Amino acid sequence: MSSTIDARGLSCPQPVLLALQAMKKIDRGPLIVLVDTDTSKENVLRAAASQGWREEAIQEQGGEYHITLTKASL
């Protein structure tokens, strides 16, 4: 079962903080994060990597990004 964080319309660091909170609540993934700027996308990806999560897919649709993250295996 996936979780989705809709951070569209929010400025950094809010998308990153929402994504980090969601990562703490769920052990695995997938976690889908919706953002609408390149900066938010890059910051969410960087924060995810620092927490041991990895990018499964990024879909761009109309200037919005759907980032799918999963917890990296140990």
Side-chain angles (χ1 to χ4, degrees):
M1 184 170 170
S2 65
S3 297
T4 301
I5 300 297
D6 187 354
R8 294 175 290 184
L10 300 177
S11 300
C12 275
Q14 289 177 307
V16 171
L17 295 174
L18 291 174
L20 289 172
Q21 287 174 347
M23 287 177 215
K24 288 180 182 176
K25 290 181 181 175
I26 59 175
D27 289 336
R28 295 178 175 253
L31 172 62
I32 299 169
V33 182
L34 309 177
V35 296
D36 56 3
T37 67
D38 285 333
T39 301
S40 293
K41 177 189 73 170
E42 295 302 323
N43 289 342
V44 167
L45 290 173
R46 203 171 10 259
S50 75
Q51 300 300 309
W53 288 69
R54 63 184 169 93
E55 164 196 336
E56 281 293 317
I58 297 177
Q59 297 176 337
E60 182 181 4
Q61 297 175 344
E64 297 179 351
Y65 299 94
H66 296 208
I67 305 167
T68 303
L69 303 168
T70 57
K71 181 79 172 177
S73 299
L74 296 176

